[in-house]
Amino acid sequence: MATNVRNFRVALVPGDGIGPEVVPAAVRVLEAAGKRFGVSFAWQEFPWGCAYHARHGRMMPEDGIAMVRGFDAILLGAVGYPGVPDHVSLWGLLIPLRRELRQYVNLRPIKLLPGIRTPLAGRTAKDIDFMIVRENNEGEYSSIGGRAYAGTDDEFVIQESIFTRKGVDRIQRYAFDLARKRRGHVTSATKSNGIAVTMPYWDERFAVNAKLYPDVKTAQYHIDILAAHFVQKPDIFDVVVASNLFGDILSDLGAAIAGSIGLAPAGNINPEREFPSMFEPVHGSAPDIAGLGLANPIGEIASGAMMLDHLGCPEAAAAIAAAIERVLGEGHCRTRDLGGTATTAEMARAVEGALA
Ligand code: GGG
């Protein structure tokens, strides 16, 4: 046991569906890693989500953001459940947290882990190891717009995309900075042939920002062929920077080529650290398996490891990552998404037991 224990206040937002199953699994592993590496946690749970909506008519209290603003980090499960329209649940909880806390980077590592089979023929771990840097505060995710002539033949809807210079530059420069710590290559996702205003602007800023990083190599593809390259040549990617919508779609595809969306972690990062960052698996609430104890907790546990890294505890984070790799590499414990029968709790216990 380390002598100088660091303590972190962490807000838990398990959310909906399988969220309340995978979050306790991650807490268990984080507690165990914390004991080994001199880290302790003061957890506080916020029972927000679709069940809260059923009782209160909203996804979180009016002052919900203020309630979590002072925490060191937030660990979130999943958001969305039948009974509440998806845009209501997302815009009532996840998106306000990301925006009000200026978590403008959504960092999504894509890595083929030991013992995991990719659906891509002939590919191995050396071919699938890259980072998606998704813009997280603006872009195509927007509530600006409206409907006119509702219910008539003339009905139409309009929705605006928002691409600010500040927003585009900061996400692209984050990607370049990250590439400098990795293999020195950034790929930009665009669609400037069809989306004729915002995407040429994204490309223009990418060219400007690339000049600030002459040591970093670049590539740029339209999103359609870029998606095809994820399948056909995943080895060409190191850091992929994308707008909010493109980054979201690419990260589910990336998680799928890395074997299971149940394994993929994510961090909603406020790089300036004025506000807590929030960590959540890429997967959603999976209502079809909610309550059965079958969900794979690795995405949530790995998100917890990203949280530890962000909080300045890289050894504890690396120990969790190594434990995950050990368990998956041995192949004895596998949840249903990986072709096995292990429960959420069994997988969490296996990772805890594998901590060095
Ligand atoms: N754990 C993440 C989660 O619940 N995601 C639900 C979802 O659909 N998110 C949309 C997004 O990340 O943009």
Side-chain angles (χ1 to χ4, degrees), residues 7 19 58 67 98 102 115 159 177 220 237 246 283 340 348:
N7 185 266
R58 50 188 307 137
M67 290 164 79
R98 288 174 177 169
R102 302 292 188 273
Q159 175 156 353
D177 286 331
Q220 176 176 304
F237 299 111
F246 290 172
H283 67 70

Side-chain angles (χ1 to χ4, degrees), residues 293-304:
L294 298 175
N296 188 342
I298 298 286
E300 187 78 54
I301 296 169
S303 302

Side-chain angles (χ1 to χ4, degrees), residues 147-215:
R147 179 186 301 235
Y149 302 107
T152 73
D153 286 350
D154 296 323
E155 184 171 68
F156 68 86
V157 293
I158 292 178
Q159 175 156 353
E160 303 290 349
S161 291
I162 313 292
F163 285 76
T164 63
R165 181 185 283 210
K166 182 170 140 187
V168 172
D169 282 357
R170 69 188 177 188
I171 197 67
Q172 293 184 351
R173 289 177 194 175
Y174 185 93
F176 279 104
D177 286 331
L178 180 62
R180 274 188 171 157
K181 295 184 212 137
R182 290 177 52 91
R183 301 191 295 276
H185 188 278
V186 177
T187 301
S188 170
T190 185
K191 189 62 187 168
S192 45
N193 54 354
I195 300 176
V197 179
T198 54
M199 281 294 134
Y201 183 69
W202 173 273
D203 296 351
E204 184 187 309
R205 297 313 303 170
F206 188 68
V208 169
N209 288 318
K211 286 208 172 73
L212 304 175
Y213 298 83
D215 50 315

Side-chain angles (χ1 to χ4, degrees), residues 76-79 90 94 98 108 134 141 248 280-284:
L76 182 132
V79 178
L90 210 65
L94 195 51
R98 288 174 177 169
R108 296 184 155 183
R134 168 190 175 189
Y141 276 41
D248 189 39
E280 55 165 332
V282 170
H283 67 70

